[in-house]
Amino acid sequence: MDTRLHPRAVRMPGRSCRSTCVRTPLAALTAAWTLNASIAHAGGTPPGTNITNQASITYTVGGAQLVQNSNPSTIIVEELINLNLVWQDASNVIVGPGDTGRLLTFLLTNTGNGNESFGLTTDSNVSGDDFNPTFSDLYLDANGNGVYDAGVDAQYAAGINDPVLGADSSTAIFVLHDIPAGLVDADIGNCDLTAASNTGTGAPGSSIPGAGDGGANAVIGNSGGSATNTGGYVVTTVVVTMLKSATVLDPFGGSDAVPGAVLTYTITVDVTGSGTAQGVVITDPFPVNTTYVASSLTLNSGALTDAVDADAGDVNATTAGSITIALGNLTDASPLQTITFNVTID
Ligand SMILES: [Ca+2]
Ligand SMILES: [Ca+2]
Ligand SMILES: [Ca+2]
Ligand SMILES: [Ca+2]
């Protein structure tokens, strides 16, 4: 069956062809609908958009093909109020007791279909953790780079500069805290951030007449128009302990510190706590009135060359008149590090 519209003018039955004739080929109508359908927004069709639909019917009478249109149906899209709030730090932010200006980063996204402003509140005294971080300030990501920039990003003032987001738009929010003194290793302190639509909150599906963009109705989405997320800090204490001792071996096999006696220095390094001591380097200058005994440097009972090379130590190179041992990163799990070297008394 040939469903194409006949190229000749067709007319509504019983009515003048001048006002009601439809000359648009069906193929063109189909193409126009497809184009409109392809204009999609992740947040949905913008509020105030008219969704208009008109059916048509074609038929043939006495060899003439006729087209008749229905009355149009028009529905105005309402504004869906929805949001998403996600804590952005990969894990609890590592802090030390007494730290100042530490921060948690959140990402607020308007998942509704209109423009919306959101009020922000924090709760730094949530329970179920080990301490309360001391709230300092809230900042908005004024330059949109997702990172807190002191002096650039905007301090938040409720009701004054509430973030306004278009549909599908996001902004980072920074909550700054000071960390109390007197905390111990692995203590956790959490903070809640809440963002709430300034149009309204309520049960999903509830409608606020005329409160949406352009006077459209606003409808509360699954978020209830409000979202809360929790970020946290964890206290890390790294304690590096270094002890040094010396033994004396005199030329007579005794332990008298006479000229010619050999002094063996032993240095131990131990790390405790939950953090990492990074790039640990031990430097020990030779005492005056002594001379280093060549090739006497050891680390954990293994000999090290005096030269700068692949091993961890050198003598008189990195630092003149000293031994230098690069121990790298050490944690509580690292074994005790023991360094020895010898000098003779001049
Ligand atoms: Ca709005
Ligand atoms: Ca707390
Ligand atoms: Ca920024
Ligand atoms: Ca070496």
Side-chain angles (χ1 to χ4, degrees), residues 39-288:
I39 301 173
H41 304 267
T45 305
T49 303
N50 288 340
I51 293 186
T52 302
N53 178 269
Q54 195 170 19
S56 64
I57 185 170
T58 68
Y59 52 94
T60 302
V61 175
Q65 191 169 32
L66 306 177
V67 173
Q68 184 176 345
N69 290 331
S70 73
N71 59 299
S73 160
T74 299
I75 291 175
I76 300 173
V77 174
E78 302 177 21
E79 180 174 356
L80 185 68
I81 305 296
N82 233 352
L83 67 153
N84 194 17
L85 184 65
V86 180
W87 178 40
Q88 295 292 285
D89 302 298
S91 58
N92 286 329
V93 174
I94 294 172
V95 295
D99 281 0
T100 59
R102 304 311 301 266
L103 62 96
L104 303 172
T105 301
F106 295 83
L107 188 71
L108 170 63
T109 302
N110 177 5
T111 56
N113 62 337
N115 296 314
E116 191 57 20
S117 72
F118 299 94
L120 307 174
T121 53
T122 60
D123 180 1
S124 299
N125 299 320
V126 293
S127 57
D129 54 6
D130 303 305
F131 72 95
N132 294 333
T134 305
F135 176 77
S136 172
D137 276 307
L138 258 180
Y139 278 86
L140 305 176
D141 189 18
N143 60 355
N145 64 352
V147 176
Y148 174 66
D149 300 291
V152 174
D153 289 333
Q155 188 172 7
Y156 173 71
I160 305 298
N161 62 347
D162 289 345
V164 179
L165 297 175
D168 307 324
S169 296
S170 299
T171 189
I173 296 164
F174 312 105
V175 190
L176 273 67
H177 290 99
D178 296 335
I179 307 301
L183 302 176
V184 299
D185 198 54
D187 274 356
I188 288 176
N190 292 328
C191 170
D192 284 351
L193 174 66
T194 297
S197 160
N198 284 326
T199 296
T201 59
S206 54
S207 180
I208 308 172
D213 292 2
N217 294 338
V219 177
I220 305 299
N222 287 330
S223 63
S226 174
T228 298
N229 210 310
T230 304
Y233 300 99
V234 60
V235 172
T236 292
T237 57
V238 177
V239 179
V240 178
T241 305
M242 182 167 67
L243 293 175
K244 184 172 179 181
S245 60
T247 58
V248 182
L249 177 62
D250 66 36
F252 317 105
S255 58
D256 291 309
V258 295
V262 174
L263 307 182
T264 297
Y265 287 111
T266 300
I267 300 166
T268 60
V269 178
D270 190 27
V271 172
T272 57
S274 64
T276 301
Q278 297 180 311
V280 177
V281 176
I282 308 297
T283 303
D284 193 0
F286 308 127
V288 294

Side-chain angles (χ1 to χ4, degrees), residues 280-281 292 295-300 302-315 317-318 323-328:
V280 177
V281 176
Y292 172 71
S295 302
S296 65
L297 185 60
T298 72
L299 171 62
N300 300 330
L304 300 178
T305 66
D306 293 346
V308 175
D309 47 27
D311 70 33
D314 71 75
V315 178
T318 301
I323 61 123
T324 301
I325 308 272
L327 297 174

Side-chain angles (χ1 to χ4, degrees), residues 19-43:
S19 61
T20 58
C21 285
V22 176
R23 293 175 180 272
T24 309
L26 285 180
L29 285 171
T30 303
W33 181 89
T34 303
L35 182 63
N36 286 333
S38 70
I39 301 173
H41 304 267

